[in-house]
DNA sequence: CGAGGGGTTGACGCCGATCAAAGCTGGTGG
DNA sequence: CCACCAGCTTTGATCGGCGTCAACCCCTCG
């Protein structure tokens, strides 16, 4: 069982102010893309813009209740922690994703804990501002519905990816997901910690380590620079279908 | 690996007509509960009402594209089938749930295959009718967003339930879900086929059978009548946290 | 330089996949 | 009414993969 790591940090995020909102790509974020300029004039004053360092907690399940968050840049994990301390990563969110949408549908608390993986740049928007915007611009409903649908698709894909197969297959599927959704322009992605990978695909840290090490030895996983890696997509796709036997 | 069973039946559903809509509890279905009576006058003529027998296919991934479905009564499994024939059950839907909502958010095909488990009573509604209703009554956006949120919660719960733990724990969690969401007034629920359970929690048919048989022997799972069972919730909760060792 | 945390590797035992066979049950036809 | 059959369930035997525990390596930071 994977337990919550003690490496999380609760240090406060850096406040980036509000004046950035006018010129920022805010408007290109998915959920606002359909709205006219006029919609923002009275609403911007309520939106804060923050920078969260790696491993910092953005919100915890059951707290706050007042804001939803939009990821402008970076990478966030949504985590479920059970009473006995086991923790599972439910999904990864990147640029353009929204967090905390459950508050818009009558939930009285966050359903997950959100933790930054890479440094995260995000906007914090009061629920009341969203509700107000919705009533004036029904197009926002579409965008939020789209977000929910996207996350549902992610969750479904996750169930398929992790719900069956041997350890090598699950790790291969995880690498394919990282490659597809979280790679930079060069097709390189940050390799997560073994602990995070284990918490995502439901196997132990040691087994993840063995698989990753084996992939490296076989040349399927190559280090670029720093913690950036590229993977052999063809090989991974084959392994994701057919077990790679060690020994 | 669980393969698609050949027991599915493609026999056509029974058409129940349209005249039932006026007096039926249609209006109590979640996604329409907020609309006024007047909203339905011009829309009812487009809504069909069907009865699907057990094991019949309601729709297949990639086909039709024109309708969403509302479950009035019964039980449906949403299934994902991979190219190589492996199949997984993503979730179970009961009364009040909607299927095919992905068509409202720009998807050009169904994302899953929907198959009746028990006999299913449902309404088939053209996408165009929903879009038309939405434009007149924005309250419908709320209901559909709520549906999406509910299904996202289900998927999240599923990931937690099946993504980790020993076989006995997974079976226990599955029984708890059946008991909570799919039991009748007496707290009794239909025990699914071993094959369906296996496809849901990612283990083999034989292992599921061993666990269920053991639960019966220990008195944690009791037969009421027919295929209706009740389970010892306390025992299941304990097992769901701590492995039950055979032998 | 030592301490500490993450990653890697090894040894071992258990759990569950796999293959095989026998029991059960509901449906069909004689 | 019973024999029979097909499909599902249960049970057994075996084996491989992965969890578990432990040791060691490597890198970073104080």
């Amino acid at each position: 069982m994977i337990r919550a790591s003690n490496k999380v940090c609760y240090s406060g995020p850096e406040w980036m102010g509000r004046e950035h909102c006018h010129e920022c790509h805010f408007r290109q974020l998915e959920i606002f893309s359909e709205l006219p300029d006029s919609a923002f004039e009275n609403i911007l004053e309520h939106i804060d813009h923050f920078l969260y360092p790696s491993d910092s907690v953005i919100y915890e399940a059951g707290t706050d209740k007042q804001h939803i968050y939009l990821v402008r840049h970076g990478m966030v994990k949504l985590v479920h922690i059970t009473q006995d301390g086991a923790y599972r990563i439910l999904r990864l969110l990147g640029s353009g994703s929204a967090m905390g949408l459950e508050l818009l549908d009558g939930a009285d608390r966050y359903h997950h804990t959100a933790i930054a993986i890479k440094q995260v740049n995000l906007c914090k928007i009061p629920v009341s501002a969203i509700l107000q915007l919705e009533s004036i611009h029904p197009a926002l409903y579409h965008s939020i519905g789209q977000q929910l649908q996207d996350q549902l698709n992610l969750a479904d894909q996750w169930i398929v990816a992790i719900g069956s197969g041997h350890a090598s297959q699950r790790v291969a599927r995880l690498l394919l997901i990282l490659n597809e959704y979280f790679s930079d322009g060069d097709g390189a992605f940050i390799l997560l910690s073994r602990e995070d990978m284990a918490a995502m695909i439901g196997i132990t840290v040691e087994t993840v380590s063995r698989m990753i090490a084996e992939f490296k030895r076989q040349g399927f996983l190559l280090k670029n620079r720093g913690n950036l890696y590229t993977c052999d997509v063809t090989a991974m796709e084959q392994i994701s279908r057919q077990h790679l036997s060690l020994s």
Side-chain angles (χ1 to χ4, degrees), chain A:
Chain A
M1 186 178 75
I2 307 292
R3 297 196 159 272
S5 158
N6 54 2
K7 77 177 179 185
V8 296
C9 97
Y10 288 85
S11 72
E14 179 183 355
W15 186 59
M16 303 288 282
R18 291 171 173 153
E19 75 284 3
H20 292 124
C21 291
H22 275 99
E23 83 260 12
C24 88
H25 22 263
F26 181 112
R27 298 290 311 289
Q28 291 150 33
L29 290 176
E30 276 185 39
I31 83 166
F32 288 124
S33 58
E34 297 183 34
L35 301 188
D37 286 337
S38 62
F40 293 91
E41 289 169 5
N42 297 322
I43 220 80
L44 280 182
E45 60 193 271
H46 301 298
I47 298 181
D48 283 311
H49 177 192
F50 289 101
L51 208 58
Y52 282 77
S54 193
D55 293 324
S56 59
V57 175
I58 299 165
Y59 60 76
E60 280 186 284
T63 61
D64 192 298
K65 320 182 198 176
Q66 301 300 331
H67 299 85
I68 70 162
Y69 297 83
L70 291 184
V71 180
R72 291 169 48 124
H73 191 71
M75 197 167 169
V76 175
K77 56 183 172 185
L78 288 192
V79 178
H80 173 94
I81 303 177
T82 58
Q83 298 90 339
D84 54 347
Y87 98 111
R88 284 204 57 85
I89 297 178
L90 290 171
R91 53 188 160 276
L92 300 176
L93 299 180
S95 303
S97 291
M99 302 183 285
L101 291 180
E102 58 267 30
L103 299 185
L104 298 178
D105 285 299
D108 58 345
R109 52 177 195 84
Y110 290 117
H111 287 164
H112 318 105
T113 295
I115 301 176
I117 291 188
K118 307 195 289 197
Q119 174 176 280
V120 172
N121 187 327
L122 52 75
C123 294
K124 184 175 179 180
I125 308 173
V127 168
S128 57
I130 296 285
L131 294 177
Q132 187 186 343
L133 260 182
E134 271 185 342
S135 63
I136 306 173
H137 301 280
L140 188 52
Y141 286 122
H142 275 137
S143 307
I144 290 176
Q146 183 72 55
Q147 266 290 326
L148 287 171
Q149 186 69 56
D150 288 348
Q151 298 210 18
L152 185 56
N153 292 341
L154 264 185
D156 286 346
Q157 182 184 10
W158 212 249
I159 292 174
V160 172
I162 69 168
S164 67
H166 288 186
S168 59
Q169 299 178 283
R170 300 186 192 202
V171 174
R173 293 186 198 126
L174 173 57
L175 292 178
L176 286 171
I177 288 174
L178 290 176
N179 180 69
E180 183 175 352
Y181 294 106
F182 297 97
S183 60
D184 60 20
D186 302 340
F189 52 84
I190 288 186
L191 202 55
L192 306 177
S193 74
R194 306 294 172 270
E195 186 182 343
D196 278 347
M197 292 197 245
M200 272 187 263
I201 59 183
I203 62 181
T204 60
V205 172
E206 293 93 330
T207 303
V208 172
S209 177
R210 274 182 247 270
M211 298 303 152
I212 292 290
E214 182 64 21
F215 288 172
K216 285 181 186 171
R217 277 190 288 267
Q218 304 244 357
F220 299 152
L221 188 62
L222 297 171
K223 184 175 208 159
N224 273 18
R225 57 196 182 288
N227 196 21
L228 282 175
Y229 284 79
T230 52
C231 73
D232 180 334
V233 173
T234 309
M236 286 303 109
E237 284 174 344
Q238 190 189 334
I239 293 171
S240 76
R241 284 190 293 271
Q242 186 177 349
H243 177 43
L244 172 74
S245 176
L246 302 186
S247 77

